[in-house]
Amino acid sequence: MREGGDTTDRVQPTLPVADLSTNPDGTQSAKYKLYWKNLIPIAIFYALPVVQLVFAHQEIFHDNGDEDVCYYNFLCANPLGVLSSFNNFFSNVGYIFLGVLFLFITRREERTYTEKYKDTEQKLGLPRYFGIFYAIGIALIMEGIHSACYHVCPSHGNFQFDTSYMYIMAGLCMLKLYQGRHSDITSSAHVSYTCLALVIFVTVIGVRFETVWFWVIFTILHIVVTLVLSAKIYYVHGISCDVLGESLEGVLECSRPKYPARIFLLAVGILINLGFALYGAIEQPKKFASHLLFTFLTNTLWYTVYYIIMKCRSGERILPKSPRTIVFLVLNAVWVPALYFFVQGLAQWEKTPAESREGNRDCLLFDFYDDHDVWHFLSACGLFFTFMTLLTLDDDVDYNKPRDEIPAF
């Protein structure tokens, strides 16, 4: 995080975006371009062993005839060449296609923004740097590639390949929401990706060593991280109480919330995370990776809701000033049927192969695709509409509202 400047100003109730976007545009643009530039080599180096491993498992499946190696929906596994379930492999094409489409749309938005401000020094709307959006598009493409690789031979040993980029996309979405109004103090690419790598590392540990001690340590870590991040969001990375500990009056002053609306919304987020933490500690679900992923996705959803509520409370109006944002918000309803198909559980690697086959079902669509394939198609659309919502969410202030009149929250 950037530490320069007078942090005490950041706790003023009327802190404008202009105070948190003072760095030169060229410097900031270069900083955020590193998000997609760094993600490309990460994606390449991560993908190579993934492809090698899953096809090695597929060869074992074919050579030994051991159907317990890969967890397919055997009642709707349509083979093609070396692929035993080509339908589960091919249905990931939606992620790749819509990821490429999102990159083209982002490029068009960037060109429009650049043309608008090419010959003017006036600072209107939020500072727009598109590096994180490009990274989101690349992550969506890689989600399709890694999900396809996972479905070459789904198993307990390679489940993280199917979810790694979901963590990355969720993290990038939260970063993008934060970056729009705090461009000077948002984490750099290497810090963000290091944190996301640690999350994936914890996921691997959790899948492999789900012991009581692991859940105790993870629960404590989850609560601490939640409280620290909530404090940073509340105080806008500023030092909120430099007099803390010097006197009783200082302690009492620090205890009085300066931003009641913000603290209420953050308190709800803290309660959500406490709920996930306690559920994990008590129930210790077998699918740790899914538990952590749902925690991430719920936090992303809540932070988006928080952002929209704070926009409205600050006098910004999505309707009628941002009609395309409303359209994309409505289209996010595709997540409802998508989640329905996701929970069908046609093949479950956390069970024995025999128990997993009990959930197998016949094809649902065109006598070729099963319920999980439909999840792939619908979730790809859901992710695309979510990203388009983020891309257009601040249309109502872009190009028409001075930055010193736009609040940071």
Side-chain angles (χ1 to χ4, degrees), residues 112-129:
T112 301
Y113 181 79
T114 302
E115 286 294 321
K116 196 79 173 180
Y117 283 105
K118 183 172 60 176
D119 300 317
T120 179
E121 294 296 326
Q122 191 174 17
K123 301 297 185 181
L124 297 176
L126 299 180
R128 302 198 71 184
Y129 306 110

Side-chain angles (χ1 to χ4, degrees), residues 127-349:
R128 302 198 71 184
Y129 306 110
F130 294 85
I132 296 180
F133 280 127
Y134 284 119
I136 289 173
I138 294 171
L140 181 56
I141 294 171
M142 295 309 301
E143 170 62 25
I145 293 173
H146 278 246
S147 180
C149 288
Y150 164 72
H151 284 90
V152 170
C153 181
S155 70
H156 180 273
N158 57 26
F159 177 72
Q160 67 269 23
F161 301 156
D162 192 33
T163 58
S164 295
Y165 281 92
M166 293 298 289
Y167 296 116
I168 292 174
M169 286 187 285
L172 289 174
C173 285
M174 287 189 281
L175 275 169
K176 185 58 198 177
L177 283 171
Y178 191 80
Q179 176 260 318
R181 295 174 191 256
H182 312 84
S183 62
D184 286 0
I185 60 175
T186 302
S187 300
S188 60
H190 71 276
V191 171
S192 300
Y193 287 137
T194 299
C195 292
L196 290 170
L198 289 174
V199 170
I200 296 173
F201 175 73
V202 170
T203 303
V204 174
I205 297 298
V207 169
R208 292 295 181 182
F209 307 102
E210 290 182 288
T211 64
V212 173
W213 279 111
F214 169 80
W215 279 105
V216 170
I217 295 172
F218 173 75
T219 300
I220 294 173
L221 181 64
H222 185 179
I223 293 173
V224 170
V225 170
T226 297
L227 295 176
V228 170
L229 290 179
S230 297
K232 286 184 174 291
I233 293 173
Y234 179 75
Y235 290 115
V236 197
H237 289 266
I239 302 174
S240 59
C241 298
D242 53 1
V243 294
L244 186 60
E246 293 182 5
S247 67
L248 178 60
E249 293 175 291
V251 175
L252 293 175
E253 177 64 25
C254 288
S255 67
R256 301 191 188 103
K258 294 179 181 292
Y259 321 105
R262 192 185 302 174
I263 200 170
F264 170 75
L265 292 169
L266 287 173
V268 174
I270 291 172
L271 289 175
I272 290 172
N273 280 278
L274 285 176
F276 273 109
L278 293 176
Y279 172 78
I282 296 171
E283 295 295 328
Q284 299 182 15
K286 292 183 178 180
K287 284 187 174 183
F288 173 76
S290 296
H291 171 78
L292 186 56
L293 179 59
F294 279 122
T295 302
F296 249 72
L297 295 178
T298 303
N299 276 278
T300 304
L301 174 61
W302 175 245
Y303 190 57
T304 305
V305 172
Y306 163 85
Y307 189 91
I308 293 174
I309 291 175
M310 292 300 291
K311 271 180 67 72
C312 295
R313 189 177 181 276
S314 301
E316 299 175 14
R317 294 291 177 263
I318 298 176
L319 186 69
K321 293 184 178 181
S322 306
R324 62 176 184 168
T325 307
I326 296 299
V327 172
F328 291 124
L329 279 170
V330 172
L331 289 174
N332 273 278
V334 73
W335 281 114
V336 176
L339 291 173
Y340 168 79
F341 288 106
F342 175 76
V343 300
Q344 295 308 301
L346 305 182
Q348 302 182 62
W349 51 256

